[in-house]
Amino acid sequence: WKYDNDQRAFEGEFTGGLPSGKHRYWYRNGNVKMKGGYEGGEMEGSWQYYDESGIIILDVEYRAGEAVAINGRKIKLPKSEAAENE
């Protein structure tokens, strides 16, 4: 996908309609906005987020689509109601 100025906006693959493999998103100015990977349709591994000038502002580690660490610090998010009722 591209912006109307012919600059790339997104690059990634889909398998069976689900995101898979490496994905990258760009700002209109050509700098990377965020990049990371998907496995089985879920965010997986390290995702880096950048400001418009290209400076990394956040690094989030995902496992099975859930954030488990931000900037190297482990986090524990509260379980959703749906997960608690399973």
Side-chain angles (χ1 to χ4, degrees), residues 53-75:
S53 66
I55 296 171
I56 191 166
I57 55 173
L58 192 62
D59 188 327
V60 181
E61 183 76 23
Y62 291 93
R63 287 204 187 101
E66 292 197 26
V68 295
I70 297 175
N71 292 336
R73 298 184 76 144
K74 291 183 181 181
I75 60 170

Side-chain angles (χ1 to χ4, degrees), residues 3 5 7-8 25-33 52:
Y3 289 109
N5 65 357
Q7 175 60 46
R8 279 190 290 194
Y25 301 81
W26 286 269
Y27 289 105
R28 289 181 66 83
N29 67 8
N31 287 337
V32 174
K33 185 175 193 176
E52 284 193 64

